[in-house]
Amino acid sequence: MSGRRRVVVTGCGVVSPLGDAPAALHRALAAGASSRKPIELFETAGIGCREAGEIRPFDPQGYVGERNLRPLDRTSRLLVVAAQLALAESGWGRQEARPAAEIGLVVGTTFCSVRTIAEFDRRGLRLGPTHASPLDFANSVINAAAGQAAIWHGLRGVNSTLAAGEASGLLAIAQAAELVRNGRADAVLAGGAEELCFESFFGYYRAGRLCGSRRPLPPDAGAGTVEERPVPFDARRNGYSLAEGAALLMLEERQGAAARGAAAHAEVLGWGAAFAAADGEAGLADALARAVRLALADAATAPEEIGCLSASASGSLAVDRAEALGVAAALGERAAVLPVTAIKAMLGEGLGVSAAWQAVDLIETLRDGELPGIAGLERLEPGLPLGGASPKTRRLAPAERRRALLTAVSADGHCAALVLGAPPEVAG
C-alpha cells in the first residue's frame, strides 16, 4: 500500500425500506427486521410472489424541498436523495464549500430506469413516435440516474455508471476508490441505486429466481400459498425477495479529508474482481475466490486478519453455495470460524444497490461492534463451509473490528470483493 494515496469514507447516504440513515438501518438489521411487505407499486395478481422491499412512503421532497422533481423518475429520485444525504454527512452539503477539484459520482445499477424505458417504448409502439414523452426519453438510458443526480447536485467531476448485476455497487465503490488513490480525483460519491418495478420483478419471477417462484400458482392463489424462504445459506431457501433503494459513500483522500476536519468512518484498503468464464457453481466459486485473493493482496491483508464477512448471499440456491465455496477457497481455515452476516435476509435483494447497503452496514459494524445475524436462518445447508453464519446478532471482539471483507456475486458471473478498515479510534 506504500506509495499510493489512502482512501477513506467521510459520509454515507442511504435510502432503504428499513431506514434512511446508516445508524437506523444498522439498528434495524441488528434487530432482524424485515423489509418484506405486500407490493403496492404495481399489480401482482397471478404472480406467486407478492411481497418485496418496497420503500413506502417515499417522499423525495421531504429531503430535497420544493424543487421540480418532474424530470426525475423513481430511480433518479432515490439516487438524488442518497447523494444529498451523503454530501451532508461528509460536510460537502453546500456547493460553495466544495473543493476546487470537483466531486465525482460512480453509480452501480442492474437496470436503472427500466420502468421508464419500457413505458417509453410501449407508448411509442402503441400511439406512434410523436406521442412518446420527452420527459421519459431523458431517462431511457442506463446512466440517466447518475446524470440526473450530478445535474441536481452540481457534481462536475467524473460521472460513470456500471452495470454488473448484483456486483454493480461494489464495483462502483472500487472504481471510485481507484480514482482517488491514484490522484485522478479527490472526492467521489460511489454506490448504487435500483427501483422496484413490474418489469424487473416479473422477469425474475418468470426466471424462477424469486422465493417460491419455481412452483407456479393459480391466478386466485393467495400470498403465502407456497412457502417463501429468502434466507441466505439456509437448507430450505428457495430464492430471494427483491428490494429497492439507493446508497452512496463519499470517498476521499485521507490527508485532504483530515485537513478539512472531516472524520474518517472507514478506510477502503483493497478490492478485487473476477468473472466466471465457466458455467455453473464451480466456475462462480472459482471467480469469487480469485476476487477475494486479489482484494486481500491489494489490502496487504492475510486471511486471519479478516474479522468478519458481509456476504452477498440472498437465498439463491446455486449462487449462495458458490459464494460459500469461493470464500472458503480463498480464506482457507479462517472461513470455518469467520463471523458472517448476509443482510439480504432482512433487506432483500437490491441488485445494483445491495453491495452499497452492505458497505454502509459494515461500516456501522466496525464502529459499534454489532454484526447483524441472518434472520430466519434455521439450518445451514449441509456442507457449506461457513460455520460462523448465525441467525443471532453478535458482539465482535476488538480484533475482529479492525478489518472486514465484503463480497458481491452475480448469477451472470460478475464477482467482486472489498476489504474495509476500521476508523482510527477502533483500529488503534
Side-chain angles (χ1 to χ4, degrees):
M1 293 177 64
S2 61
R4 70 186 188 193
R5 305 200 311 174
R6 295 174 67 174
V7 182
V8 295
V9 180
T10 59
C12 300
V14 62
V15 186
S16 83
L18 292 179
D20 60 358
L25 172 61
H26 179 65
R27 286 194 300 269
L29 294 171
S34 173
S35 74
R36 298 188 73 205
K37 59 178 74 72
I39 296 170
E40 293 185 359
L41 276 171
F42 50 86
E43 180 58 57
T44 59
I47 302 177
C49 304
R50 300 181 183 180
E51 294 186 336
E54 179 182 325
I55 298 176
R56 187 170 70 238
F58 175 53
D59 177 21
Q61 288 190 320
Y63 301 90
V64 301
E66 296 301 317
R67 292 176 61 183
N68 180 23
L69 288 166
R70 288 187 63 223
L72 308 183
D73 64 7
R74 189 174 182 87
T75 307
S76 296
R77 293 178 186 191
L78 289 166
L79 189 63
V80 161
V81 171
Q84 175 149 323
L85 295 173
L87 287 165
E89 191 185 41
S90 65
W92 296 127
R94 296 180 298 110
Q95 290 195 30
E96 58 270 22
R98 295 178 190 172
E102 293 90 351
I103 294 172
L105 176 63
V106 183
V107 178
T109 185
T110 301
F111 298 112
C112 193
S113 305
V114 67
R115 189 209 63 80
T116 306
I117 296 168
E119 182 57 30
F120 181 82
D121 290 344
R122 278 194 294 264
R123 186 176 299 177
L125 289 170
R126 187 173 65 250
L127 301 175
T130 58
H131 293 274
S133 169
L135 286 177
D136 284 348
F137 179 75
N139 295 307
S140 63
V141 289
I142 201 165
N143 64 336
Q148 296 279 22
I151 292 168
W152 187 278
H153 291 294
L155 307 177
R156 297 181 294 175
V158 62
N159 189 278
S160 296
T161 297
L162 303 179
E166 294 88 329
S168 302
L170 195 155
L171 290 173
I173 295 169
Q175 184 188 78
E178 200 70 16
L179 290 169
V180 173
R181 75 183 186 182
N182 289 327
R184 304 295 296 273
D186 291 326
V188 183
L189 282 170
E194 210 78 61
E195 69 175 340
L196 183 67
C197 66
F198 173 80
E199 287 76 11
S200 56
F201 187 89
F202 189 65
Y204 279 110
Y205 172 73
R206 288 289 299 271
R209 295 187 181 182
L210 300 188
C211 52
S213 62
R214 291 181 179 273
R215 291 175 56 187
L217 302 179
D220 59 345
T225 302
V226 173
E227 183 183 20
E228 299 176 7
R229 287 193 61 79
V231 183
F233 302 129
D234 191 88
R236 293 189 294 148
R237 67 188 185 278
N238 61 357
Y240 48 73
S241 174
L242 286 179
E244 66 173 350
L248 291 170
L249 312 182
M250 176 61 81
L251 304 184
E252 295 188 59
E253 189 272 324
R254 189 180 72 153
Q255 291 184 348
R260 68 180 186 87
H265 302 310
E267 182 173 359
V268 178
L269 298 175
W271 66 277
F275 184 77
D279 291 336
E281 294 175 24
L284 203 57
D286 178 67
L288 180 62
R290 297 199 311 273
V292 172
R293 291 188 188 106
L294 287 168
L296 294 176
D298 193 33
T301 297
E304 56 269 22
E305 294 180 275
I306 296 297
C308 60
L309 166 67
S310 178
S312 178
S314 62
S316 166
L317 276 72
V319 180
D320 286 13
R321 189 179 302 117
E323 181 175 18
L325 296 173
V327 167
L331 298 185
E333 295 180 357
R334 177 61 180 147
V337 296
L338 184 68
V340 178
T341 186
I343 65 172
K344 293 177 187 178
M346 294 76 83
L347 267 174
E349 177 58 82
L351 304 173
V353 68
S354 281
W357 280 339
Q358 289 174 250
V360 169
D361 176 66
L362 201 53
I363 290 168
E364 291 296 310
T365 288
L366 294 176
R367 182 185 61 80
D368 73 0
E370 293 287 322
L371 183 73
I374 302 175
L377 179 61
E378 296 178 1
R379 185 167 68 93
L380 192 67
E381 179 186 337
L384 290 191
L386 293 179
S390 169
K392 296 182 179 180
T393 293
R394 61 179 289 175
R395 166 67 62 173
L396 298 179
E400 293 173 327
R401 295 171 58 187
R402 295 195 181 111
R403 298 194 175 200
L405 177 67
L406 187 159
T407 52
V409 186
S410 177
D412 63 8
H414 292 281
C415 297
L418 187 76
V419 179
L420 288 176
E425 65 270 19
V426 174

